[in-house]
Amino acid sequence: MDTKEIKILAIESSCDETAAAVVVNGRDVRSNIISTQIPLHTLYGGVVPEIASRKHIERINQVIEQALEAADMSLEDMDGIAVTYGPGLVGALLVGVAEAKAIAFATNKPLIGVHHIEGHISANYIENKDLEPPFLCLVVSGGHTHLVRVVDYGKYEILGRTRDDAAGEAFDKVARAIGLGYPGGPKIEKAALEGNPFAYNFTRPKVADGLYDFSFSGLKSQVLNYINSAAMKGEEIDNNDIAASFQQTVIDTLCDHASMAIEEFGMDKFAIAGGVASNQTLRKAMEDMCREKGVKFYHPSPILCTDNAAMIGAAAYYEFLAGKFDGWDLNAIPNLKLGER
Ligand code: KG4
Ligand code: ZN
């Protein structure tokens, strides 16, 4: 087989985005179609799993057709069919997994199950053609907060993870508390631009027995308690200041952890990934920290930070090269751990 041009059709349906992409040799994105359900779930203040699954079923065939059309290729041109099989919402994952299995079976192509977080990390390969492991990666999304040493392609060492809420989840909950709605991340970021990040002194959450672990539920509670006690005293609160101070505390915490790990493990490359990595203030803080340390900083464009299938195609390519294929028994695993495969 000509290994110079490996074309992968990738499918992602783990949460509230139905996505398909065609990726050549892991880094050349020929199409990246994303059908978002965000406006639908906004009505309910968060993702409703049952609605998400139904919408994926409605959209998935069209999204795949669009991805092939935009890449000017057919299913026959593909060398493999990749799909996110976990972690995520089980019903949502199942739609993508069943679809990928059906396509792979019908076309007699290899099936490649991809870990969603591995996809987020691999989003960095797409626009940074020079990026190769080893590097340190901070994955910050709605469901995950992981500080990961990418030892090699497909080989990960988790240095720290959240003990409770993920960073994006904390953004979403605080946004709801100050009436900004879902999804909270972009709304907090916008409000924070008008606020003072030093107006409120929220304490940076620490985990006593885990240097690199995170805990964001305490910070969320600090903010909620502050809002409630101000309301009881009849005091005015400035939502922009709350948003800016909360965001700053999250950024400082993430920066502290990343900085410590860079030092301890002598890393010379640092990447960020996941929905929260599209936050410009966070990105700037990480960039400044890396510049100070003489560490090379990598980040995907915002569209490749939030859920998409191009990142799944990027991760799948390295599995393809390693000959890691799946059988027809591939199943959705909602709590799949990184590096468990
Ligand atoms: O990676 P992603 O699309 O889905 C998951 O795998 O979870 O991340 C979604 C999360 C949401 O919690 C959303 O509020 C957050 O990423 N997010 C942001 C921003 N854009 C999205 N958080 C902070 N600032 C942003 N600009
Ligand atoms: Zn994600």
Side-chain angles (χ1 to χ4, degrees), residues 288-332:
D288 290 348
M289 183 263 290
C290 286
R291 193 178 311 111
E292 247 171 56
K293 292 185 181 303
V295 166
K296 200 149 183 223
F297 177 60
Y298 298 87
H299 60 83
S301 294
I303 194 68
L304 294 172
C305 283
T306 44
D307 289 350
N308 65 88
M311 67 184 196
I312 303 303
Y317 172 66
Y318 295 99
E319 299 205 13
F320 187 102
L321 292 185
K324 289 192 208 157
F325 301 115
D326 287 279
W328 306 128
D329 59 346
L330 180 72
N331 204 354

Side-chain angles (χ1 to χ4, degrees), residues 163 224 324:
R163 296 283 179 95
L224 300 191
K324 289 192 208 157

Side-chain angles (χ1 to χ4, degrees), residues 26 37 95 113 123 130 147 150 154 177 183 193 196 202 217 230 234 244 246 266 290 299 313:
Q37 306 175 0
V95 177
D130 64 317
L147 189 60
V150 183
L193 291 174
N196 172 8
F202 299 126
S217 100
F246 159 76
C290 286
H299 60 83

